[in-house]
Amino acid sequence: DIQMTQSPSSLSASVGDRVTITCQASQDISNYLNWYQQKPGKAPKLLIYDASNLETGVPSRFSGSGSGTDFTFTISSLQPEDIATYYCQQYDNLPMYTFGQGTKLEIK
Amino acid sequence: EVQLVQSGAEVKKPGESLKISCKGSGYSFTSYWIGWVRQMPGKGLEWMGIIYPGDSDTRYSPSFQGQVTISADKSISTAYLQWSSLKASDTAMYYCARLAGSSNFDYWGQGTLVTVSS
């Protein structure tokens, strides 16, 4: 099974900061990786698909990059409404859709 | 507008059975896989399984195979997740989500909270 390891597990940053979260796959998954945002008490929301494609309607301060085993999710300028937990998810090993363990983002 | 509307919160006792639902609208329900995702209290997301309502083809995560049953009734655009004998460890929020292509979950239901307690 493919394991997804996110880091850090939690992160505190100030408004306006550049925030980076990484996700590492246990084997090559090409670009078969998505990123989701889950705000407290809400369902997850798709932000980035296929490693680097911004979902329609998602602000451009969010971006993703990477391929193979190493992926990065970036918020270019943190906003108060970005407080959430972020998850990566792979889909290389269908029909398994493994999620990373999540990164909880807080405002400093 | 694509919508997935899930059934309401449930409180059950260990050993009881349960079936929760997820009704799709605003798109061709039979043309997209529907997935189920578990989130235990304070924990992360776990993919449980998917179903293709067009022909009821179903795939399970090994972690959930034999523990739950996923089904669908395409005539009423509804997918289901059911348990035959609940355990306290089934206490969690359960989400349904539409699978775009075979890659990402692009629309999500609001979640159904299942509480199992004696």
Side-chain angles (χ1 to χ4, degrees), chain A residues 5-27:
Chain A
T5 303
Q6 271 184 251
S7 61
S9 56
S10 65
L11 174 58
S12 182
S14 301
V15 172
D17 282 355
R18 183 179 184 88
V19 171
T20 298
I21 298 168
T22 64
C23 185
Q24 186 170 59
S26 58
Q27 64 190 67

Side-chain angles (χ1 to χ4, degrees), chain B residues 26-78:
Chain B
Y27 73 100
S28 175
F29 187 74
T30 55
S31 299
Y32 290 82
W33 292 81
I34 290 285
W36 287 94
V37 175
R38 183 176 78 174
Q39 188 167 39
M40 299 178 77
K43 301 299 183 182
L45 304 173
E46 300 174 90
W47 173 74
M48 302 175 72
I50 52 174
I51 187 165
Y52 190 73
D55 61 6
S56 291
D57 186 7
T58 308
R59 316 289 174 88
Y60 293 93
S61 163
S63 299
F64 293 93
Q65 179 83 48
Q67 308 304 307
V68 296
T69 300
I70 295 172
S71 61
D73 185 340
K74 63 184 179 182
S75 69
I76 54 171
S77 301
T78 301

